[in-house]
Amino acid sequence: MPRFEPHPARRPVLVAGASSGIGAATAVALAELGHPVALGARRVDQCVEVADKIRADGGEAFAHRLDVTDAASIDEFVSASENALGPIEILVSSAGDIEFSPVGEMDPERFLQQVQVHLIGAHRLVHRVLPGMVDRRRGDVVLISSDCAPEPRPRTGAYSAAKAGLEAMSQQMRMELEGTGIRASLVRPGPTLTGMGMNSTPEIIGPLLGAWQDWGFARHPNMLRPRDLAAAVVAVVSTPRGAHLVLVEVQPEAPLRDTSKEQGGSQQ
Ligand code: NDP
């Protein structure tokens, strides 16, 4: 007799921030596993494009506009998704963007906006979806964090603070949800090649990279691909009940270095 009823084979998924990057790749990967996915973001046409591709490949997908800074939009997105796909079993909160700035120079309204997207938006999603999961006594909540949460980087505006808040919220939820059947998990990406931060100018990026180097944050140039993070989310939600991947940090593997000289050195 298993300790837990296994998760159903078909688990409706909500992906917030699914129009590009990690969210889009995660929607595709979860659909490939046979889960129906609801894709939400402000650029709904891009969500429709990803959903069309999922359906063309034999999967089940639904796209709807979502702005995580707007409570009514979240409610509409979740209700429409549940009508289309059934009760949500997996929430992936991947919506985000970044505005680079030293803290002291950042307009407080812009600072607030970043916190709205990364922390308040994630909380609104959780608040909307969790009661149904609690009733069904099962579910996965996966929050996409950042390695800036444990190690804030200079000139990341409100981003590092908001992600640290997100991680605290997740850790708190994990304790509060103990024994409910719901797993609250963090996937913590390192540098990933997506659109995020790419609209910045050289005037902003130059000093930023200098400061990151000064503080030891630029070890090597390799970056992750969105599908690397999708694989981490898949691992979290596919872990059979009875175990919980609480935190998965994913970093890019460094380029292979020339070890011939090191070996030569050790022989001397
Ligand atoms: P992308 O820019 O490719 O994806 C971000 C997604 O968030 C887009 O789909 C965007 O859609 C959506 N989004 C932004 N604002 C809102 C909003 N207000 N409401 C709804 N959706 C929104 O970047 P990534 O894939 O890299 O980012 C995904 C997550 O990964 C973010 O939480 C980010 O902080 C995190 N991360 C990324 C890293 C990186 O190096 N790229 C490193 C560490 C963490 P739209 O604009 O259409 O609304």
Side-chain angles (χ1 to χ4, degrees):
M1 183 71 184
R3 280 181 299 168
F4 297 94
E5 184 93 2
H7 283 127
R10 179 188 182 278
R11 304 177 70 199
V13 184
L14 276 190
V15 183
S19 60
S20 61
I22 295 168
T26 299
V28 169
L30 291 172
E32 279 170 2
L33 289 183
H35 302 309
V37 289
L39 298 98
R42 293 164 305 174
R43 290 169 297 168
V44 69
D45 47 329
Q46 286 193 217
C47 291
V48 168
E49 223 172 272
V50 180
D52 285 347
K53 184 166 183 320
I54 288 172
R55 278 193 294 268
D57 292 341
E60 207 180 333
F62 171 77
H64 195 279
R65 189 180 185 282
L66 169 68
D67 181 348
V68 298
T69 66
D70 176 354
S73 170
I74 287 184
D75 191 43
E76 218 177 274
F77 171 61
V78 177
S79 298
S81 302
E82 294 205 312
N83 283 338
L85 306 177
I88 297 306
E89 300 257 345
I90 299 172
L91 166 65
V92 181
S93 173
S94 187
D97 61 7
I98 191 162
E99 187 172 337
F100 297 119
S101 169
V103 166
E105 292 172 21
M106 192 166 192
D107 179 279
E109 289 308 316
R110 304 294 307 159
F111 194 95
L112 176 63
Q113 178 67 17
Q114 282 276 285
V115 178
Q116 290 278 6
V117 175
H118 289 282
L119 177 58
I120 313 295
H123 173 255
R124 284 192 195 285
L125 284 163
V126 164
H127 180 259
R128 178 62 180 75
V129 167
L130 210 50
M133 291 184 176
V134 170
D135 284 348
R136 288 186 296 281
R137 293 170 70 78
R138 61 170 191 252
D140 274 303
V141 173
V142 184
L143 305 176
I144 307 298
S145 179
S146 164
D147 62 354
C148 289
E151 285 189 285
R153 295 181 178 210
R155 294 177 177 264
T156 53
Y159 185 80
S160 295
K163 289 297 197 190
L166 182 76
E167 292 211 355
M169 184 177 89
S170 181
Q171 286 159 7
Q172 181 180 332
M173 280 168 57
R174 181 193 163 205
M175 294 183 268
E176 293 164 353
L177 292 171
E178 190 179 66
T180 64
I182 296 144
R183 302 180 296 194
S185 312
L186 287 163
V187 168
R188 185 193 280 164
T192 310
L193 199 53
T194 66
M196 203 183 73
M198 292 299 178
N199 55 357
S200 234
T201 60
E203 291 73 32
I204 293 173
I205 292 296
L208 172 119
L209 291 180
W212 286 11
Q213 208 154 13
D214 290 347
W215 288 93
F217 288 115
R219 292 189 59 77
H220 63 77
N222 280 8
M223 293 183 85
L224 294 160
R225 300 148 304 174
R227 65 173 182 274
D228 298 323
L229 279 308
V233 177
V234 164
V236 168
V237 304
S238 303
T239 293
R241 294 192 72 184
H244 180 183
L245 301 193
V246 174
L247 165 67
V248 180
E249 177 166 326
V250 188
Q251 292 291 344
E253 188 176 354
L256 291 179
R257 61 175 193 262
D258 181 0
T259 51
S260 58
K261 291 192 186 77
E262 293 168 28
Q263 280 158 3
S266 66
Q267 282 163 3
Q268 285 170 358

